[in-house]
Amino acid sequence: MPQIGINIKEATIQKREVIVGIDLGTTNSLVAVMQDGQPAALSGKQSGTIVPSVIHFAQDGRILVGDEAKNFLIEDPEHTIFSVKRLMGRSYNDIRNEQQHFGYRIIDENTEGLVKIQVNDTFHSPIGLSALILKELRLRAEEQLGMEIHKAVITVPAYFNDAQRQATRDAGKLAGLDVLRIVNEPTAASLAYGLGRKQETAETIAVYDLGGGTFDISILRIEDGVFEVLSTNGDTYLGGDDFDRAITGHWLSLAGKTTVDVSRHELQELRLLAEQAKKHLSTADDFSGEAAGLTLSLSRTVFEELIQPLVDKTLASCRQALKDAGLKAEDIDQVVMVGGSTRTPLVKSSVATLFGQEVHDELDPDEVVALGAAIQADILAGNQTDMLLLDITPLSLGIETMGGLMDVIIPRNSKVPTSAGRQYTTSVDGQANLKVSVFQGERDLVRDNRKLAEFILSGIPGMPAGLPKVEIQFILNADGILQVKAKELRSGVEQSIEVQPQYGLSEEEMAKMLLESVKHAQEDMATRAVVEARVEAQNMLDTAERFLQKNSNRLNEDEIAGTRKLMEELRDIQEGDDKDLIHSRIEALNDFTRPFAERIMDHAISEAMKGKML
Ligand code: ADP
Ligand code: MG
């Protein structure tokens, strides 16, 4: 997904305005701001900077957010919402197979629309729930800074699609925040470490992010201030919570029990103690404690045995990400560690071994994304003039043209923001409506790409085919949100839409689309050539037919009969797969008709031969 372009000239923000950076995480969220030239995470009146991304709807109608809400996760799961980030911008169909991971009710009425969550008798959208977390963060910042906060930069995973980004932006709006930029988490983490500041040299960076419930590896390339995501991989259901579960399971089995033998309350106690043990073992060799009436202990050695398979899984993802980026471990210049779970020494050492180098862990891994967001915010506020960040769009954007071909308007890897346009024309006489179908992807046939939107340009005044001039304009803003405009230039009729897909593309789908396009490139090129030849043949036949009808009185019998015969021969093989044969018959027809066509050249026909048809 597109990373964020920051256009310094565009940022006309007055001095003294504070823009905060927000890491809206699956497990934990934070807000940070630039203070005396350094980014700092804010705590408000609370003791810590971390706000658990948990919301509890209490019996008395109060809504608790953060640490207080977290206490109800196991005691009252039906009224306690966690991991809402997993639902952002997604439809019921998207998350159908993940339902068992949520303790609360997800509504399945409209399977294509955005999901809703039921708590008691009310329905909540993931956007509204995320807004509650954002509001809590805003209040903390306001408390600590003693001023109102209205502007923010919010981070999202690199693989978030349009719909998920748009949903995050909307959540900000609901929380009273003008979201100036949506920024990729790995980009923010790299920024926090000051990577990409040396504009002369390109650097390749691996960002390893192991949080509470998700794992992401991103390979980035930074050159001339452009952050490009070369590849992403990961596991949306692997994180520190799995470490806690492994410990809990170990303790239960030592006691000769399973999770069904203990009460909810006891299980919660055990999970909390397991997390405590895990954190303790990040700096110590042994842990002991009590929970659920049991005296429990854990050594670092046993803990590492328990989590080894989980760590190995993340390493496999790293290798795949390298492979997808066409790189080897030694091509990576820097490795950045993100997420609370990278504090576990086994995680750190395993990643260092894989990449054959020391990893960056100087900054607090919980805070690093928020700190980077604060730096982005500061750049936006115009306070850091030596930085220019540009981002790129990872998939091509285009429209469907005749024969179901993908006509790319903004190619993959274009720097955003960007805009591009092209002219098209109609294929039928008197055509009043023109359908514009917008697609995303790398394949030559639109049926292999992803449809983003469709609209109809209507009210085109009656004209012969080929005469209308329809300008299609794509405008891609810095957040990767696309606006499409269509205008018939002769009449001035116009139509435009903002592309906001109902539900999005998952990380896997995106990777798959890119992979498929490479795999099928050869095949696609051949198919495209045949389809193009067929379309050209049809255009030629239509043009010739119109020509004959309009000019029968100006042509002699031989000319008419000869043209008809060649048309017939072209029609016979038009739908075949032999593009060379199609081309040679088009040529034959063309050569035969050229002398007399030139003689009585019809303006509309000459126009019809120009321009692509939709
Ligand atoms: P997310 O990005 O998913 O919101 P975080 O980056 O905040 O998540 O990571 C949360 C995870 O980090 C939790 O599983 C937590 O137990 C774990 N964690 C926090 N501190 C430590 C520590 N000192 N040692 C090991 N794991 C830790
Ligand atoms: Mg995170």
Side-chain angles (χ1 to χ4, degrees):
M1 273 291 125
Q3 289 201 268
I4 300 320
I6 288 183
N7 185 343
I8 288 173
K9 284 186 219 99
E10 190 194 278
T12 50
I13 293 149
Q14 324 125 271
K15 278 254 153 64
R16 281 285 312 139
E17 179 146 38
V18 173
I19 308 172
V20 295
I22 292 178
D23 171 7
L24 184 59
T26 309
T27 316
N28 294 313
S29 298
L30 290 92
V31 57
V33 75
M34 218 54 182
Q35 286 182 320
D36 307 321
Q38 288 295 322
L42 304 176
S43 55
K45 290 188 182 135
Q46 311 295 315
S47 53
T49 56
I50 291 175
V51 176
S53 306
V54 184
I55 302 143
H56 175 66
F57 292 87
Q59 298 288 341
D60 60 7
R62 283 190 313 149
I63 300 174
L64 308 177
V65 177
D67 283 314
E68 286 180 288
K70 198 178 169 181
N71 296 330
F72 293 93
L73 268 181
I74 293 189
E75 302 255 348
D76 190 9
E78 278 164 50
H79 303 106
T80 310
I81 313 296
F82 63 96
S83 288
V84 67
K85 185 175 179 178
R86 296 186 190 281
L87 303 174
M88 289 290 269
R90 314 199 72 193
S91 72
Y92 182 78
N93 275 343
D94 289 335
I95 53 107
R96 183 186 285 282
N97 299 326
E98 301 173 19
Q99 266 201 82
Q100 76 277 10
H101 296 285
F102 305 95
Y104 41 89
R105 264 200 79 192
I106 296 173
I107 305 303
D108 58 359
E109 272 163 24
N110 177 358
T111 53
E112 300 252 306
L114 297 176
V115 290
K116 283 253 174 342
I117 294 153
Q118 185 174 0
V119 183
N120 298 326
D121 297 331
T122 46
F123 297 100
H124 300 268
S125 71
I127 293 173
L129 294 166
S130 291
L132 293 172
I133 299 169
L134 291 171
K135 229 181 255 170
E136 171 71 24
L137 294 168
R138 198 188 94 202
L139 289 178
R140 283 187 170 213
E142 290 182 342
E143 248 171 42
Q144 188 162 345
L145 301 173
M147 65 194 298
E148 285 187 18
I149 300 293
H150 300 289
K151 294 191 152 110
V153 164
I154 304 180
T155 58
V156 297
Y159 59 80
F160 256 30
N161 64 34
D162 276 9
Q164 292 167 299
R165 282 161 200 264
Q166 191 68 48
T168 305
R169 182 175 274 282
D170 290 346
K173 224 182 279 171
L174 264 182
L177 291 168
D178 182 6
V179 181
L180 300 182
R181 284 291 182 276
I182 296 290
V183 177
N184 285 339
E185 288 162 12
T187 300
S190 305
L191 267 182
Y193 276 105
L195 305 177
R197 290 221 164 215
K198 283 179 287 171
Q199 307 253 326
E200 322 79 62
T201 47
E203 281 191 303
T204 309
I205 295 163
V207 181
Y208 179 103
D209 183 348
L210 190 61
T214 59
F215 167 63
D216 298 309
I217 173 77
S218 312
I219 311 284
L220 307 182
R221 184 162 182 82
I222 314 181
E223 187 168 14
D224 297 330
V226 178
F227 282 68
E228 182 183 1
V229 181
L230 298 180
S231 65
T232 69
N233 207 295
D235 188 331
T236 45
Y237 284 95
L238 176 61
D241 299 347
D242 297 293
F243 294 2
D244 305 347
R245 269 190 283 273
I247 298 170
T248 310
H250 168 71
W251 281 341
L252 282 172
S253 80
L254 283 183
K257 295 179 178 181
T258 69
T259 45
V260 294
D261 301 320
V262 289
S263 69
R264 261 190 185 179
H265 185 77
E266 287 171 322
L267 189 61
Q268 179 175 26
E269 270 189 18
L270 285 167
R271 287 260 171 90
L272 290 176
L273 192 73
E275 188 181 7
Q276 210 180 311
K278 170 186 77 177
K279 289 182 179 175
H280 184 74
L281 293 174
S282 289
T283 50
D285 290 328
D286 285 291
F287 172 86
S288 59
E290 273 171 42
L294 301 166
T295 302
L296 303 155
S297 66
L298 189 68
S299 69
R300 192 191 283 186
T301 320
V302 172
F303 172 58
E304 293 187 344
E305 277 168 24
L306 289 171
I307 62 167
Q308 187 71 57
L310 300 167
V311 175
D312 287 345
K313 260 183 156 177
T314 70
L315 299 181
S317 285
C318 292
R319 287 192 197 94
Q320 189 58 47
L322 281 169
K323 208 169 151 200
D324 290 347
L327 296 173
K328 294 201 159 50
E330 52 270 30
D331 298 327
I332 302 296
D333 298 312
Q334 317 262 3
V335 182
V336 171
M337 300 299 263
V338 182
S341 302
T342 60
R343 285 219 182 79
T344 295
L346 179 69
V347 172
K348 226 180 269 187
S349 61
S350 306
V351 176
T353 306
L354 176 81
F355 288 101
Q357 61 186 285
E358 289 284 307
V359 297
H360 279 289
D361 62 352
E362 308 90 289
L363 296 173
D364 184 327
D366 296 315
E367 294 186 350
V368 61
V369 169
L371 298 179
I375 295 174
Q376 286 260 12
D378 201 46
I379 297 170
L380 263 184
N383 296 335
Q384 298 198 23
T385 43
D386 62 326
M387 283 290 287
L388 177 68
L389 290 181
L390 288 169
D391 283 293
I392 55 146
T393 177
L395 292 171
S396 300
L397 296 162
I399 63 169
E400 175 176 359
T401 52
M402 262 178 85
L405 287 177
M406 170 87 173
D407 202 33
V408 172
I409 296 185
I410 296 180
R412 160 177 157 71
N413 284 350
S414 297
K415 288 178 188 171
V416 294
T418 184
S419 67
R422 193 166 296 165
Q423 274 187 25
Y424 298 88
T425 190
T426 52
S427 54
V428 178
D429 284 337
Q431 191 174 330
N433 299 324
L434 194 78
K435 191 166 85 179
V436 180
S437 304
V438 182
F439 285 83
Q440 181 178 45
E442 306 313 309
R443 301 289 301 276
D444 278 346
L445 296 175
V446 292
R447 62 152 200 258
D448 299 321
N449 289 328
R450 173 167 173 260
K451 189 172 199 166
L452 292 180
E454 179 178 286
F455 67 99
I456 296 194
L457 176 65
S458 55
I460 302 172
M463 281 183 255
L467 213 51
K469 280 192 178 152
V470 179
E471 162 103 1
I472 307 262
Q473 185 85 18
F474 274 34
I475 302 142
L476 188 62
N477 78 10
D479 298 329
I481 291 158
L482 177 69
Q483 194 189 9
V484 180
K485 287 185 181 162
K487 183 174 185 177
E488 201 289 299
L489 299 175
R490 291 179 199 274
S491 59
V493 176
E494 83 186 293
Q495 197 80 254
S496 97
I497 51 155
E498 186 153 296
V499 178
Q500 283 178 25
Q502 264 288 292
Y503 52 89
L505 204 60
S506 71
E507 173 192 10
E508 297 89 71
E509 281 170 319
M510 165 117 155
K512 202 172 132 223
M513 279 169 77
L514 283 174
L515 220 69
E516 293 267 299
S517 73
V518 177
K519 221 165 56 196
H520 297 284
Q522 289 283 333
E523 184 191 311
D524 267 11
M525 243 148 57
T527 318
R528 173 177 276 270
V530 173
V531 173
E532 271 171 356
R534 287 180 190 159
V535 169
E536 202 184 325
Q538 190 56 47
N539 285 346
M540 187 66 204
L541 288 168
D542 291 347
T543 306
E545 185 63 51
R546 261 198 308 274
F547 179 74
L548 288 181
Q549 278 172 15
K550 282 195 185 154
N551 302 296
S552 55
N553 52 350
R554 290 182 239 179
L555 297 167
N556 66 40
E557 264 174 38
D558 288 347
E559 284 170 342
I560 294 174
T563 306
R564 287 256 173 246
K565 177 167 167 283
L566 288 168
M567 283 172 72
E568 222 34 66
E569 285 175 11
L570 175 56
R571 214 170 267 136
D572 284 345
I573 51 95
Q574 186 198 350
E575 290 306 317
D577 288 331
D578 187 344
K579 71 169 196 319
D580 295 333
L581 183 62
I582 299 174
H583 279 302
S584 74
R585 299 221 171 153
I586 291 171
E587 274 306 293
L589 179 57
N590 216 5
D591 288 347
F592 182 75
T593 53
R594 188 176 298 119
F596 46 92
E598 276 170 5
R599 201 174 68 218
I600 42 176
M601 184 66 94
D602 180 282
H603 181 69
I605 291 174
S606 74
E607 282 290 319
M609 289 175 162
K610 293 180 194 152
K612 292 189 183 183
M613 293 179 184
L614 283 177

